[in-house]
Amino acid sequence: MNGVTTLTTLAAYTTSTGEAVQFWVLGTVAVLGALATVLMKKAVHSALSLAGTMIVLAVFYLAQGAYFLGVVQIVVYTGAIMMLFLFVVMLVGITAADSLKETLKGQRWLAAGAGLGFGVLLIAGIANASIKNFQGLGQANAGGNVEGLASLIFTKYVWAFEITGALLITAAIGAMVLTHRERTEARATQRELAERRVREGKQITPLPAPGVYARNNAVDVPGLLPDGTVSELSVSPTLRGRGQYRDVSAEAVAKVAELEQRSEEASK
């Protein structure tokens, strides 16, 4: 009996090769996803990174025997809440350009202080945690994983559970408030929009078309103005930014000069 007990104790404290590989691979993915959530410039990319991190956490739960938590992590958090977040981001509309103007004075310092305080509390909590004996999930899942989890949620952690539900409801109501905007002035008519464009000096007529050549794509060849120079408006700003267009003004001038010379020779 003592030998069996010793082997069971050693097995509880020993990590197998498969568990170690799983931890280091998935742990790396989870940390990279968490960093991407904070460092990504676009909110949609941050949400997708957070969804990946949540899926990795679900795999960890399943590997530790917490099957209900693993399924809830995927179905509820990743499949419902994160998709709701993506829907709200796309519904509200967040551009890639970040606004540097603060609507609330000092909010960045308050956010930094709150983050620092939370980090200190988290480090203090982890430092004071002490586990003398390996418990595992055998005792918690004695009556079933779902029953044990429900007993903890509705007894010991009922207050935290209710606060979390209130926060989620508040987030949903806030999303609806942000997406609903009352119109304070009448919609501008087509004539008023045209008059505004004229007063502001914007481009009234259609943009000049790009040059057309038989052996080239017309989109990447800028059109020429009467003086032979290139019209920047005839090429998409994206192609101009990438440098994916051909300046054919010199070739056009040379071709015109050649045609004029031939015309003069023919007239003689």
Side-chain angles (χ1 to χ4, degrees), residues 112-149:
L116 181 61
F118 178 77
V120 172
L121 290 176
L122 184 62
I123 294 174
I126 295 175
N128 292 328
S130 60
I131 300 177
K132 297 180 180 179
N133 298 320
F134 183 82
Q135 299 295 335
L137 295 176
Q139 182 179 358
N141 294 336
N145 181 255
V146 179
E147 290 80 357
L149 185 63

Side-chain angles (χ1 to χ4, degrees), residues 148-165:
L149 185 63
S151 176
L152 290 176
I153 288 178
F154 294 106
T155 55
K156 185 177 180 180
Y157 299 104
V158 63
W159 180 241
F161 185 75
E162 294 297 333
I163 291 178
T164 304

Side-chain angles (χ1 to χ4, degrees), residues 11-256:
Y13 284 93
T14 303
T15 301
S16 64
T17 304
E19 291 177 337
V21 171
Q22 171 191 285
F23 174 79
W24 287 109
V25 173
L26 296 182
T28 303
V29 175
V31 172
L32 292 178
L35 292 176
T37 303
V38 180
L39 300 178
M40 283 291 181
K41 294 183 178 180
K42 294 186 177 181
V44 176
H45 295 168
S46 297
L48 292 175
S49 301
L50 183 57
T53 302
M54 287 185 173
I55 293 175
V56 172
L57 293 178
V59 176
F60 278 134
Y61 290 148
L62 295 174
Q64 295 298 322
Y67 305 112
F68 183 79
L69 283 180
V71 174
V72 168
Q73 182 75 20
I74 295 177
V75 176
V76 178
Y77 287 96
T78 307
I81 296 178
M82 286 307 305
M83 294 305 106
L84 177 63
F85 180 77
L86 286 175
F87 174 75
V88 170
V89 168
M90 296 177 182
L91 186 64
V92 175
I94 298 179
T95 59
D98 295 332
S99 177
L100 299 179
K101 184 178 179 180
E102 294 188 10
T103 56
L104 298 175
K105 293 184 178 180
Q107 61 178 347
R108 299 189 181 186
W109 291 105
L110 291 175
L116 181 61
F118 178 77
V120 172
L121 290 176
L122 184 62
I123 294 174
I126 295 175
N128 292 328
S130 60
I131 300 177
K132 297 180 180 179
N133 298 320
F134 183 82
Q135 299 295 335
L137 295 176
Q139 182 179 358
N141 294 336
N145 181 255
V146 179
E147 290 80 357
L149 185 63
S151 176
L152 290 176
I153 288 178
F154 294 106
T155 55
K156 185 177 180 180
Y157 299 104
V158 63
W159 180 241
F161 185 75
E162 294 297 333
I163 291 178
T164 304
L167 289 176
L168 294 177
I169 294 175
T170 304
I173 296 176
M176 291 187 290
V177 171
L178 290 175
T179 54
H180 180 72
R181 294 184 177 92
E182 293 288 346
R183 181 175 292 277
T184 57
E185 57 184 10
R187 186 185 297 273
T189 62
Q190 191 70 22
R191 181 180 181 84
E192 291 174 348
L193 292 176
E195 292 176 353
R196 186 185 305 171
R197 291 178 65 88
V198 173
R199 286 194 298 267
E200 294 176 355
K202 294 183 178 180
Q203 180 77 22
I204 306 301
T205 59
L207 295 177
V212 180
Y213 289 87
R215 297 182 179 179
N216 297 282
N217 186 0
V219 177
D220 66 345
V221 180
L224 301 179
L225 298 175
D227 58 354
T229 58
V230 172
S231 174
E232 297 291 343
L233 297 176
S234 62
V235 180
S236 170
T238 303
L239 295 179
R240 283 191 279 110
R242 295 175 180 175
Q244 297 177 344
Y245 72 98
R246 265 192 351 120
D247 185 358
V248 295
S249 57
E251 300 176 11
V253 172
K255 190 66 175 179
V256 169

